[in-house]
Every structure is written in C-alpha cells, then in structure tokens.
C-alpha cells in the first residue's frame, strides 16, 4: 500500500511521465505542490518571472521535443496569467499541461483571496481541463491529461488542484500507467486509391503543407511525394522547415507575405493537396477566392478541420505520415514538364524581393547573416510582427521542428520565453530569438531567467521604436494616419539587458559587425544583439486582410499575366 | 420555451456525456464561441448518475455538420445523435412552459 499526499502523488506521476523540467511560479495555493517538487531528484524547477513566461517556456520545450511539457502557477492572477500561453498552444496544437493551485474546495465559490474560476475561464483556451475534486482523482486525471495533450491533434490541458486536495492523504495499491497518446485513427484504402487517382490525373497540382506535417514527422515523406510527382510545395507559417527552403520544389510560404510567384501559381493549380493545414485566413486570403480552379484533397488528423473553411472533394481524417506512407507507392512518377516550366517561369518573373539582404545592418540582412552562423539543428524562435514575417521569408530553413513561432494566436512576447524553453530542452544547441522592440517588451522580465540559467539564447533585436506591422497597416489602409504605433521614448535595450545580467552588443556604429556577430555566436550563454532599423521599412508583398491572395501590394503590381 | 424567432428548420441533438459540473459549460461554451445559436436545452442525469444526456434544439443550417464534429471532439462527450426538430423532449417542455 502506498501512502502520500496529493501533492507528492502529483509530482511522482509527473516523474513517471518523463518530466524533467517544470517552469513556474509558486504562490499561496500551490505551495504543497512546490514543497513536494523540492524533494524531486528528477525534476528541475525553473523559476519564471511571469506565468505567461513559464507557459511559453513549456511551449519551447514541447515544440522542440514534440512531447507534453508541464508548467505551474498559483491561483487567481497566477492562473489568469497562464491563459495567453494556453490559447497560443491551442491554436498551434502544442501539447502543454498547466497545473494551477486553487483555493481549498470548501472556499470555492466564496470569492476567497486569489480565487478565480480558472476552470471556467480556460475552457475555450484549452483542449480539455480538469478541476480535481479529490486526491484519488489525481491518479486518473494526471495520466489522462498527458493522453489528451498528446493524442490526435495535440493541445493544451489545464489541471486545477485545490490546496486541500494537495494536502489530503492518499492511499493506493499501484501506480497507474503513464498516459500515452491514442492509437492513430484508421483510414480507408479506398480513400488512398481515390487520392492517388486525383494526384495522377492532375495537370497543375500543388502541395500545401503545414504544422500537421511537421508534428507527425511526415516531412521526409512529403518531400518524397513532391519529388516523385514533381509537384511544387507551398508551406504555411507553421510548416516552414518541412522542406529545405533551397529545395528546387519549395516555393516557401503562401498567403499574406508570400513570394508573388507562390500566390499566383496557387491560383492556377487544378489540385490542392492540403496536408496538416487548416486553411487559416493568413494563408488563404479571401477563402472563397483561394485556388478557384482547384479540386481539394485535404488530409488532417482533426475531423473538425475538413470542410470547415473549404469543402474538399476528398477529405481524410488521418495522420499525415501514415497517409503519405500509403500514398507514396500509389502515385505515378511524372515529370509534369508543362507545369514545371510554368513554375520556373513565374519564379523568375515574380520572385520574392528581399531588399538589402546582403547588408548585415538591414532588417533582412541581419537574418541572413545570423543564419550563416547557425547549424542545421539549431533552433529559431521569433516574436510577432515585421521581424517575424521577415524571418519567415528570409531564413533558410533546413530542418522541421526547429522553427518556433506563434502562428495562430500571433502572441507578441512569445519569442524570448519560448527560446529559453527550447534552450532548456536542448542546452547543446544555439537558440536564436528574432525579436522587435514592441514584442520584446511584452515579456522582457524573462531576461532574468535567461541570465540565471545561462541559456544559450541569442536575442537579435531589430529595433524600430515602433509597432512596425501596425504602422504598416496604418500607412496602407488608414490613410497613412500613424497613431499610437510609435514610441515617444526609446529605451536603452543594451543597458536593460546588462541590468538583467546579460551581455549586450549594439551593432549600430560598430566597426566590425560581422566579426562581432561571429564572436557572440562562438560563445556560450545568452546575449542581446541590438540593431536599429527604420520603421518605414515595410514587409512586402502584402495581401490586405480580407482580400484575395492575388491582390498583393508591393512586389507584384505588374502581376497580370 | 418561447416561440422561435426564426422559421428555419430545426434539429435536436442528443448528447451522451459524462456527468460532472463542468460539462454543461464545455458544451454551451463551444456553441457560443463558434457563434452557433442554441434555442433550447434540456439535461438530465441517467443510470447511476455517472453520465447524463443533453438535448439541444438548434438550427439546421449548413454549419450543423461542423458543429456536430466539434462537439463530438469534446472529451466528455461520448456520442451525439441527431433527431428531427419536433422531437418530443422539447414538445413536452413547451407544453409545460406555456401552461
């Protein structure tokens, strides 16, 4: 017979799930959990400076490892601070588990100190959530949370544990089995045959691949399919890295900030092979004008994504990797000469223009300069804004699962804590965080965590002292009336970083920026690299929100073909 | 229940769910978040109280399939059956509420 408190049982169950690092912040209602955690020999706690930071650290670990990761917060404000990280994980299908303390069961509903209904609040932000009502329930809830987070389409789970449940004594005979993902959903051979027929018959097919391909480990197979059938590939923001960006069939990202040729060619396709994507509006533009002449073959593990935005001729609810394995031998090897020629013609006539890409002091140039100092397996994170879109456009992605960005929710403040998490998970790798001044200030307190743990995170801050992407929209769509999108005061980021205990360099006016960058990347540990950029430098081309993808501003004014 | 404002055809969804205090929030939250109108709700525990059944009176629009798929994805929902809009659950409820 085993006998222990609910808190001890929780920590032991997390150990049995293979958890080694838990970011979080203690407070009144999760102190029993923290006391139990202090006795763990397996789990290292990382003290974040804000619960949202802890959530994004867990995301950084989960996105790089592909396995569920845990973070902790206390009740009340601690719990509400987790919501942005949870919502972000929901939209990008990241398996994280948030464990919050709650006021004792007897006080729930009494408006007690630091009581909020985090169970109710987190319903739409999570894949599933639990309010644990007895210590015994922990034995089923914890493995169940891991199963749910990792199964099918992964996602965040919240477990709210009242303080008296943490301190209650629990007796049980046997540990439950650790929670594991469900078996992958079955699919029919008929559908695979139909899919192969559609692909074999298509004249101008296009592969449209996303985060689902990366997460299911299907990147190699997607590449094999593209190569065998000579089908060009466009990826979503989340799918970047599934195919090396210098692959001859890779046309990069589609949608709002795509290369003009990519959006124009998609318009001409007669078959869209959509794998692990959800037809997000940033990718499709105006949905009813997206790929107007194409039949759609849609494969996704989430049945809710099929027929949500576009009705496919054939929709298959399945794991992308399994489908590709079955499909690959059934498709015909075809050169598709006409289509390939058309693709290469448009590539040359309507390429992506990256101004000053060879100038290290320019917004695109710094990305390319940094990329030359990174190995294939090193990790790239971003915040949200112009620097994010520029990185998506200009970084030469080589491997899947190395690109961590807030795609669906678009959370400013994601980059730094996600980079810290990635570095905690893989300390031997260099992690670069491309950020902007607006975003960095949204979780800047985590510089302290980066310094404390000596994480090998290089923050590349392109600073325009403005909310650049907001300004760009005001310029284009609000009569150039710039309002509330530039900062009147410019903080000294290098001094701030040093104040937190990080070395910092300013490339502005530096006699040898290349040499300095090289030196920084050759050294272990965190560093802030500051580069002033011009707020009036926009990210182009740009499809106006709500417009069709053919209506690109900049880079394709002469797009009538 | 009040007479329906719209005259579009209705469907009754019958959900077999786990019975705990959060299930109603999960189900209703899903419908409100996806801006799908629920015109009537009835819910009762069944068997030993481990599970319950929820009946929802909803519009039979072209988004109904998507809503059924989404609601089926909820961890606490075991099964969803569809019935015609004139299902007796709401017929009898209407009689009680107008009496």
């Amino acid at each position: 017979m085993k006998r222990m408190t609910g808190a001890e049982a929780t920590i032991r169950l997390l150990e049995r799930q293979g958890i080694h690092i838990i970011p979080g912040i203690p407070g009144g209602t999760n102190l029993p959990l923290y006391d139990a955690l202090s006795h763990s020999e397996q789990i290292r706690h990382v003290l974040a400076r804000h619960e949202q930071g802890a959530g994004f650290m867990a995301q950084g670990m989960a996105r790089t490892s592909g396995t569920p990761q845990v973070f902790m917060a206390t009740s009340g404000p601690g719990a509400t601070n987790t919501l942005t990280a949870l919502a972000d994980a929901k939209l990008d299908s990241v398996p994280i588990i948030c464990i919050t303390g709650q006021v004792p069961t007897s006080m729930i509903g009494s408006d007690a100190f630091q009581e909020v209904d985090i169970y109710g609040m987190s319903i739409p932000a999570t894949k599933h959530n639990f309010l644990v009502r007895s210590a015994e329930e922990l034995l089923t809830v914890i493995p169940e949370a891991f199963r749910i987070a990792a199964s099918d389409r992964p996602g965040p789970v919240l477990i709210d544990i009242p303080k008296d449940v943490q301190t209650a004594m629990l007796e049980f005979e046997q540990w439950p089995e650790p929670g594991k993902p469900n078996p992958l959903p079955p699919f029919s051979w008929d559908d695979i045959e139909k899919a192969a027929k559609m692909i074999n018959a298509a004249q101008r097919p296009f592969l449209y691949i996303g985060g689902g391909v990366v997460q299911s480990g299907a990147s190699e197979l997607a590449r094999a399919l593209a190569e065998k059938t000579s089908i060009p590939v466009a990826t979503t923001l989340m799918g970047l890295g599934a195919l090396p960006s210098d692959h001859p069939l890779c046309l990069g990202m589609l949608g709002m900030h795509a290369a003009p040729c990519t959006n124009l060619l998609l318009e001409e396709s007669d078959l869209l092979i959509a794998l692990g994507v959800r037809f997000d509006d940033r990718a499709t533009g105006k949905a009813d004008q997206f790929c107007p002449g194409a039949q759609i073959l849609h494969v996704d593990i989430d049945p809710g994504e099929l027929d949500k935005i576009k009705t496919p001729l054939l929709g298959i609810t399945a794991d992308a990797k399994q489908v590709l394995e079955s499909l690959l031998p059934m498709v015909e090897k075809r050169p598709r000469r006409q289509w390939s020629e058309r693709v290469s013609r448009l590539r040359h006539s309507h390429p992506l223009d990256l101004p000053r890409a060879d100038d290290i002091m320019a917004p695109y140039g710094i990305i390319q300069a940094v990329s030359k100092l990174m190995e294939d397996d090193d990790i790239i994170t971003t915040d949200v804004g112009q620097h994010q879109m520029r990185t998506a456009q200009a970084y030469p992605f080589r491997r899947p699962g190395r690109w961590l960005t807030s795609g669906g929710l678009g959370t400013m403040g994601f980059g730094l804590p996600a980079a810290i998490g990635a570095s905690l998970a893989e300390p031997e790798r260099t992690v670069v965080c491309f950020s902007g001044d607006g975003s960095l200030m949204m979780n800047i307190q985590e510089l302290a965590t980066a310094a404390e743990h000596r994480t090998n995170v290089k923050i590349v801050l392109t600073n325009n002292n403005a909310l650049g992407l907001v300004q760009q929209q005001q310029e284009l769509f609000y009569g150039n009336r710039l309002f509330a999108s530039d900062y009147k005061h410019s903080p000294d980021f290098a001094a701030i970083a040093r104040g937190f205990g990080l070395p910092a360099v300013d490339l502005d006016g530096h006699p040898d920026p290349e040499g300095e960058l090289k030196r920084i990347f050759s050294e272990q540990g965190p560093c802030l690299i500051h580069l002033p950029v011009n707020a009036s430098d926009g990210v182009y081309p740009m499809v106006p929100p709500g417009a069709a993808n053919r209506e690109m501003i900049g880079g394709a004014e002469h797009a009538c073909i | 229940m009040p007479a329906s404002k719209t005259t579009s055809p209705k469907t009754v969804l019958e959900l077999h769910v786990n019975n705990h205090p959060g299930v109603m929030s999960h189900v209703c939250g899903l419908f409100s978040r996806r801006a799908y109108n629920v015109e009537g709700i009835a819910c009762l525990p069944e068997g030993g109280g481990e599970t319950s059944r929820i009946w929802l009176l909803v519009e039979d629009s072209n988004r109904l399939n998507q809503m059924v798929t989404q609601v089926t994805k909820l961890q606490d929902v075991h099964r969803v059956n569809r019935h015609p809009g004139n299902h007796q659950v709401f017929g009898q409820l209407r009689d009680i509420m107008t009496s």
Side-chain angles (χ1 to χ4, degrees), chain A residues 188-416:
Chain A
S188 85
W189 256 116
D190 276 4
D191 283 345
I192 298 298
E193 278 176 2
K194 273 186 218 153
K197 265 195 198 133
M198 286 168 76
I199 294 171
N200 292 338
Q203 301 295 314
R204 297 176 306 281
F206 224 110
L207 266 162
Y208 159 37
I209 64 182
V213 168
V214 175
Q215 285 197 331
S216 75
S219 301
E220 279 298 310
L221 286 161
R223 175 186 179 157
L225 178 75
E227 286 172 353
K228 183 173 179 186
T229 54
S230 314
I231 298 181
V233 182
T235 75
T236 66
L237 181 67
M238 300 301 295
L240 288 170
L243 200 68
S245 52
D246 58 355
H247 190 282
L249 288 165
C250 183
L251 281 150
M253 201 165 56
L254 77 162
M256 188 172 271
H257 297 290
C261 55
T262 310
N263 282 345
L264 295 171
L265 284 162
L266 275 157
E267 292 254 318
E268 296 179 15
S269 76
D270 65 349
L271 174 67
L272 190 65
I273 307 158
L275 303 175
V277 294
R278 58 183 180 84
F279 291 81
D280 175 73
D281 55 273
R282 287 301 191 258
T284 63
K286 193 172 192 182
D288 56 12
Q289 293 182 36
F290 179 58
C291 299
Q295 293 183 335
I296 295 172
L297 161 60
H298 192 179
V299 179
D300 202 279
I301 197 146
D302 180 354
E305 292 304 338
L306 308 178
D307 204 12
K308 185 180 82 176
I309 306 288
K310 292 285 266 186
T311 304
L313 187 68
L314 176 61
I316 306 177
T317 303
D319 173 64
K321 187 177 181 185
Q322 288 197 331
V323 167
L324 283 168
E325 268 165 357
S326 314
L327 193 57
L328 201 51
M330 315 262 300
V331 292
E332 289 161 10
K333 191 171 166 61
R334 297 245 322 254
R336 290 198 163 77
R337 219 151 264 136
Q338 251 188 328
W339 182 223
S340 301
E341 274 165 24
R342 176 75 184 147
V343 171
S344 66
R345 186 143 22 99
L346 254 72
R347 275 185 137 177
H348 286 103
S349 61
H350 294 79
L352 188 62
D353 179 31
L354 306 176
R356 295 165 67 204
D358 49 2
D359 176 1
I360 189 171
M361 303 302 286
Y364 285 111
I366 184 74
I367 294 165
Q368 298 215 328
V370 165
S371 77
K372 294 192 176 86
L373 301 169
M374 298 277 281
E375 291 176 18
D376 288 1
D377 283 324
D378 285 341
I379 297 160
I380 311 108
T381 80
T382 71
D383 266 300
V384 170
Q386 288 180 324
H387 68 274
Q388 177 193 31
M389 290 301 112
R390 287 185 182 122
T391 311
Q393 289 174 326
Y395 195 92
F397 297 100
R398 301 173 189 113
R399 297 273 162 87
R402 307 280 87 182
W403 161 242
L404 281 49
T405 197
S406 172
L409 195 64
T411 312
M412 293 171 70
F414 170 91
L416 172 60

Side-chain angles (χ1 to χ4, degrees), chain A residues 90 119 123-124 127-129 133 147-148 153 302-308, chain B residues 20-23 25-26 29-30 33-34 65-66 69-70 73-76:
Chain A
K90 175 99 184 280
Y119 178 85
I123 288 173
K127 186 174 176 187
H128 192 58
N129 59 3
R133 288 169 190 279
R147 182 189 67 78
I148 293 167
R153 178 179 183 173
D302 180 354
E305 292 304 338
L306 308 178
D307 204 12
K308 185 180 82 176
Chain B
H20 66 77
V23 177
S25 308
H26 275 266
L30 177 81
R33 160 165 137 54
R34 295 198 182 260
N65 281 340
Q66 170 68 205
T69 310
Q70 294 292 352
K73 276 166 58 181
L74 292 177
Q75 302 292 327
D76 284 317

Side-chain angles (χ1 to χ4, degrees), chain A residues 417-430:
Chain A
I420 294 170
S423 180
L424 291 167
E426 298 189 29
E428 71 287 1
R429 305 251 57 109
T430 300

